Amino acid sequence: MTRRLLSEHTIEVLGDVRRLRRRFATTAPRDWDPSTAAAELSVQVGHLALCLLRVHGADVAGLEDPRRPIDDVGDELADIVLAALSITVLAGSEPVGCAELPHAETALEAFLRLLVAAGNLAEAALVEHGYRHRPEGDPPSLPHAAGAVLAACDVLADRLGLDLLGEFRAMVTDADGFLDERGGGVS
């Protein structure tokens, strides 16, 4: 399998995210902003954690809804990309620094680095949009934090043997199908 770095296709992927954001906007009872997308990022990180627990043989019975199976690691990682880039799209910015791939020896280390990057991005969105105080020190800007999430997703995908760009494209196709069925906006 050829693994392609999603972060090398950011412009193309951002086009899909912008289009999906417009389409999904018709399905939500309220307008989204970067902070709403940051909350969605947290949801998607939790979904990925559930999948990884399952992959590692953990008992997830108390953590999942049996009528709503969440069991596709690649799809959940693609959903994290969508959520992270939705933050930037809704903030009117673009990720930077995507090519700076962090080192991770194991999938667990890569996942933990992704958690940190996602937390930094959520914090940047909350600060930039007036929902949280600006912390001391030199936290990353929203564009840099988004770039770090994309890079962390690429590293985790590599450690898991996934083609993240392929997973993202499959998720976009599924999302478009879902939205077509619901009558969610135009493509």
Side-chain angles (χ1 to χ4, degrees), residues 2-145:
T2 301
R3 289 190 283 272
R4 298 160 289 178
L5 293 178
L6 182 132
S7 56
E8 292 176 352
H9 298 268
T10 305
I11 300 301
E12 168 192 341
V13 169
L14 273 169
D16 286 328
V17 171
R18 286 184 185 100
R19 187 177 53 73
L20 287 175
R21 282 276 30 100
R22 283 190 302 273
R23 293 194 72 199
F24 273 118
T26 66
T27 69
R30 295 180 59 182
D31 289 342
W32 279 32
D33 63 22
S35 297
T36 315
E40 177 66 14
L41 176 60
S42 177
V43 169
Q44 297 307 327
V45 168
H47 289 176
L48 178 61
L50 177 64
C51 288
L52 292 173
L53 282 169
R54 181 179 285 109
V55 165
H56 287 91
D59 178 8
V60 296
L63 300 173
E64 67 178 340
D65 178 352
R67 295 183 354 188
R68 184 176 169 220
I70 297 173
D71 56 9
D72 185 335
V73 173
D75 182 60
E76 297 308 329
L77 192 53
D79 286 347
I80 289 173
V81 170
L82 175 61
L85 290 178
S86 289
I87 294 169
T88 63
V89 164
L90 291 166
S93 66
E94 293 186 4
V96 297
C98 306
E100 301 165 14
L101 298 180
H103 176 74
E105 292 290 328
T106 65
L108 175 60
E109 181 183 348
F111 177 68
L112 293 173
R113 289 181 180 279
L114 173 57
L115 284 176
V116 172
N120 286 341
L121 177 55
E123 181 177 55
L126 291 170
V127 168
E128 189 167 305
H129 292 88
Y131 290 103
R132 192 172 196 286
H133 70 281
R134 182 166 301 282
E136 296 292 322
D138 190 23
S141 67
L142 192 148
H144 280 93

